[in-house]
Amino acid sequence: MDMENLPQSLRGEQERERLNKMDAVRKLGVDPYGRKFSRSDNTASAKDKFSYLSTGEESDSQVSLAGRILAVRSHGKTAFLTISDVYGNIQLYFRKDVLGEDSFAVLKLLDIGDIIGVSGKMFRTRTGELTVFASAFELLSKSLHPMPEKWHGLKDVELKYRRRYVDLIADEKSRATFIARSKIVSSIRNLLDARGFYEMETPCMSSLAGGAAARPFITHHNSLDMDMYLRIATELHLKRCLVGGLEKVYEIGRLFRNEGIDTRHNPEFTTIEIYEAYSDYEGMMKLAEDIFKTTAAAAGCDQTIMYQGREISLKTPFERISMNDALMRLAGYSINDLRNPEIASQAAEKFGIPYKKGEPCGHLIEKVFDAAVEPHLVNPTFITDYPVEISPLAKKRVDDPTLTYRFELFICNMEFANAFSEINDPLDQRERFEAQAALKASGDEEAHVLDEDFLCALEYGMPPAGGMGIGIDRLVMLLTDSPSIRDVILFPTLKLR
């Protein structure tokens, strides 16, 4: 190995030592990056299969396992190694007289972090530990970097996110979080599929970014010579499916919003959006409760969980309160109060919200709610009946057209779901889009766009429907007791160093 031409990442003392060992392995005629290895078991199944063995007893049959080395204890002509796979850890026992000179020489060149395959019989040691008595092993991958000290994980939080692969190797809790995430998403799919929903795939890029109030990312299609937008929601395409007669649809996928980054927000995130013809927002409330109950079970949680030191009850039905009642109770203002410019100014001053007379009242209503109400929403709570100004895709209430059939679900002061009785009146939807277009023209970058093709779809006739979006990342945060969205996204967006 030409040490002078090494990449910077391999110039440390420990890396050089590992490179020398790799060369020594090659000189012994062994490829340090092996090929396929057939496993008969994993660490958990091997332990379960031979749990009956008593102290000193050896199994009749052999097992073949593979994993990453966690520990090495060498004693002259014998050695104990511990390997890990996704199912757990297991101890291995090696003897020079069993392996032979050449294989034992390779064994002496192994490091913590290397990946090996091993075959042998199981036995129980005098200390009661089920162990593989190795008759043969293969080096499958030589690790050129030392593992984090004592396998306690990466201390540098920034490095934890930048090198998630090392975090997953070193931190059992991190591995468990992403396994739980997989189970949570699968449980949602299974629930909806069992109820007759169809999973759809809609475009990630389009000529318009609609379906939510958010600032999009813009890219350029060279062949078509046109700007395109990464999607900020899947809503408008999925509702086109309802028009086309697909009555129950959903999509689990990535959305992209060109916004800030904090413990609850990442520019690239995952949601599920669900639409059901002939339902409404009441139907979506029941579905939301069922999804939370199902995903909690999939993550191994009880109906009462702890999140960041707070006890949360997921027992259904969840509490329901209208936005107006919540504002009256906790802010001292009604929605109609906040539509009055004089009172709006008072409220803005009271809660430290920037506001100029004459500004649209919708955003102020939201900001007063965020400041006065949201900090009190700990256990699951449906906030219902949002004002029409901030709900351009939700059907107006029959009894009060200034409000809509809309809810958001809050838990631990975070929004987890947003749902409507969907507008299916194309003229009403056009009027709402035009109002949003006026806001965009006045400088509101997050206002909805006017999507003529979607309006055309509604003109063909969309059945009344309920629709809902749920943030998958926040759901995983809740069910794995993770403080930051970066802890539940494998490769979160990070600033360049």
Side-chain angles (χ1 to χ4, degrees):
M1 175 68 68
D2 183 357
M3 295 295 181
E4 296 307 315
N5 293 320
L6 287 175
Q8 191 64 40
S9 61
L10 293 177
R11 292 188 180 183
E13 183 179 339
Q14 293 185 70
E15 284 79 6
R16 284 171 175 261
E17 183 180 338
R18 285 172 180 249
L19 285 166
N20 287 331
K21 287 184 179 181
M22 183 180 72
D23 282 347
V25 166
R26 283 202 166 103
K27 287 173 181 175
L28 290 169
V30 174
D31 182 354
Y33 297 99
R35 301 184 181 182
K36 177 181 176 181
F37 184 84
S38 296
R39 296 186 292 177
S40 66
D41 291 274
N42 58 57
T43 56
S45 67
K47 287 179 177 179
D48 183 62
K49 188 184 294 185
F50 297 102
S51 60
Y52 66 86
L53 292 175
S54 57
T55 301
E57 187 180 0
E58 186 178 86
S59 65
D60 295 327
S61 58
Q62 285 205 336
V63 295
S64 296
L65 306 170
R68 190 180 293 273
I69 298 172
L70 296 184
V72 178
R73 300 179 303 283
S74 187
H75 307 282
K77 296 181 180 181
T78 65
F80 284 94
L81 274 66
T82 301
I83 62 169
S84 167
D85 62 15
V86 72
Y87 303 98
N89 306 335
I90 199 164
Q91 182 171 261
L92 315 176
Y93 175 58
F94 298 85
R95 274 186 17 198
K96 185 175 182 179
D97 61 339
V98 174
L99 290 180
E101 289 278 352
D102 291 345
S103 286
F104 200 75
V106 174
L107 182 75
K108 301 290 279 185
L109 295 168
L110 297 182
D111 289 301
I112 291 174
D114 293 351
I115 298 172
I116 63 170
V118 63
S119 300
K121 293 184 177 182
M122 295 287 291
F123 76 103
R124 193 178 294 277
T125 66
R126 284 178 295 179
T127 60
E129 185 169 359
L130 279 171
T131 301
V132 180
F133 191 161
S135 56
F137 80 94
E138 295 179 32
L139 176 57
L140 302 176
S141 185
K142 182 68 183 169
S143 174
L144 300 182
H145 289 286
M147 296 296 107
E149 187 180 359
K150 297 184 180 178
W151 297 85
H152 288 161
L154 293 167
K155 307 272 189 215
D156 184 335
V157 175
E158 182 80 3
L159 197 60
K160 173 186 176 78
Y161 302 138
R162 287 189 186 279
R163 297 184 180 174
R164 179 69 81 186
Y165 41 90
V166 182
D167 173 48
L168 291 170
I169 292 170
D171 190 340
E172 186 176 340
K173 185 179 186 302
S174 187
R175 289 198 303 277
T177 293
F178 289 102
I179 291 170
R181 180 181 179 119
S182 177
K183 291 178 179 178
I184 287 166
V185 173
S186 293
S187 72
I188 298 173
R189 277 198 172 94
N190 293 339
L191 172 68
L192 294 175
D193 290 349
R195 295 187 180 186
F197 284 82
Y198 298 105
E199 184 171 7
M200 299 289 114
E201 292 179 307
T202 63
C204 285
M205 293 191 304
S206 62
S207 57
L208 293 173
R215 184 180 178 183
F217 286 96
I218 305 172
T219 186
H220 188 79
H221 193 294
N222 291 334
S223 182
L224 296 176
D225 191 22
M226 62 183 285
D227 284 344
M228 300 192 77
Y229 300 88
L230 297 184
R231 68 186 182 189
I232 57 174
T234 56
E235 177 163 350
L236 301 188
H237 280 100
L238 288 173
K239 288 199 284 194
R240 286 173 169 91
C241 295
L242 297 185
V243 172
L246 299 172
E247 297 176 356
K248 301 168 79 171
V249 297
Y250 73 93
E251 181 170 7
I252 299 172
R254 289 287 178 130
L255 301 182
F256 309 88
R257 296 183 182 178
N258 200 350
E259 299 169 347
I261 297 176
D262 58 31
T263 57
R264 300 181 181 188
H265 298 89
N266 191 68
E268 179 181 5
F269 60 100
T270 304
T271 67
I272 178 168
E273 290 199 32
I274 307 163
Y275 296 89
E276 182 175 5
Y278 311 111
S279 186
D280 62 4
Y281 83 143
E282 293 277 354
M284 293 298 109
M285 283 190 209
K286 180 64 172 67
L287 182 57
E289 291 174 339
D290 291 346
I291 286 173
F292 273 75
K293 187 185 301 182
T294 297
T295 54
C301 300
D302 296 323
Q303 284 189 299
T304 300
I305 63 172
M306 294 297 294
Y307 182 72
Q308 299 302 292
R310 293 189 288 185
E311 186 174 279
I312 307 298
S313 173
L314 297 178
K315 292 179 181 177
T316 56
F318 298 160
E319 184 181 359
R320 302 182 185 189
I321 182 172
S322 72
M323 176 180 268
N324 192 67
D325 288 348
L327 284 167
M328 288 287 289
R329 183 187 304 172
L330 294 166
Y333 300 99
S334 70
I335 289 173
N336 279 334
D337 288 339
L338 296 173
R339 290 187 173 116
N340 180 304
E342 295 298 327
I343 299 177
S345 293
Q346 295 171 17
E349 185 176 351
K350 178 179 178 180
F351 294 105
I353 299 167
Y355 176 75
K356 293 179 182 179
K357 285 186 181 180
E359 286 184 12
C361 64
H363 290 314
L364 176 70
I365 294 170
E366 273 192 304
K367 289 174 181 176
V368 171
F369 176 87
D370 292 346
V373 179
E374 195 171 313
H376 298 276
L377 303 177
V378 178
N379 277 307
T381 305
F382 291 118
I383 300 294
T384 67
D385 307 335
Y386 278 58
V388 70
E389 294 93 336
I390 55 173
S391 309
L393 294 162
K395 192 182 282 281
K396 293 175 183 175
R397 288 193 64 90
V398 173
D399 55 348
D400 184 351
T402 69
L403 303 177
T404 61
Y405 295 108
R406 175 187 173 190
F407 75 76
E408 289 186 314
L409 173 61
F410 289 87
I411 308 172
C412 288
N413 323 118
M414 287 190 285
E415 176 210 335
F416 280 79
N418 185 21
F420 319 138
S421 294
E422 303 292 341
I423 296 176
N424 61 337
D425 177 345
L427 301 181
D428 183 13
Q429 185 64 82
R430 179 176 291 278
E431 188 178 309
R432 308 275 198 99
F433 276 169
E434 287 173 347
Q436 288 289 304
L439 290 175
K440 186 173 282 290
S442 67
D444 185 349
E445 292 182 329
E446 295 188 352
H448 289 246
V449 296
L450 198 156
D451 187 332
E452 282 288 357
D453 185 73
F454 176 67
L455 291 172
C456 180
L458 290 186
E459 289 164 5
Y460 277 89
M462 187 182 88
M468 174 168 60
I470 296 175
I472 297 293
D473 307 298
R474 290 187 184 182
L475 177 57
V476 178
M477 285 173 63
L478 178 73
L479 297 178
T480 59
D481 193 17
S482 299
S484 171
I485 195 169
R486 293 184 177 189
D487 294 323
V488 300
I489 295 176
L490 270 171
F491 304 104
T493 304
L494 298 170
K495 191 174 183 179
L496 288 175
R497 285 183 163 178

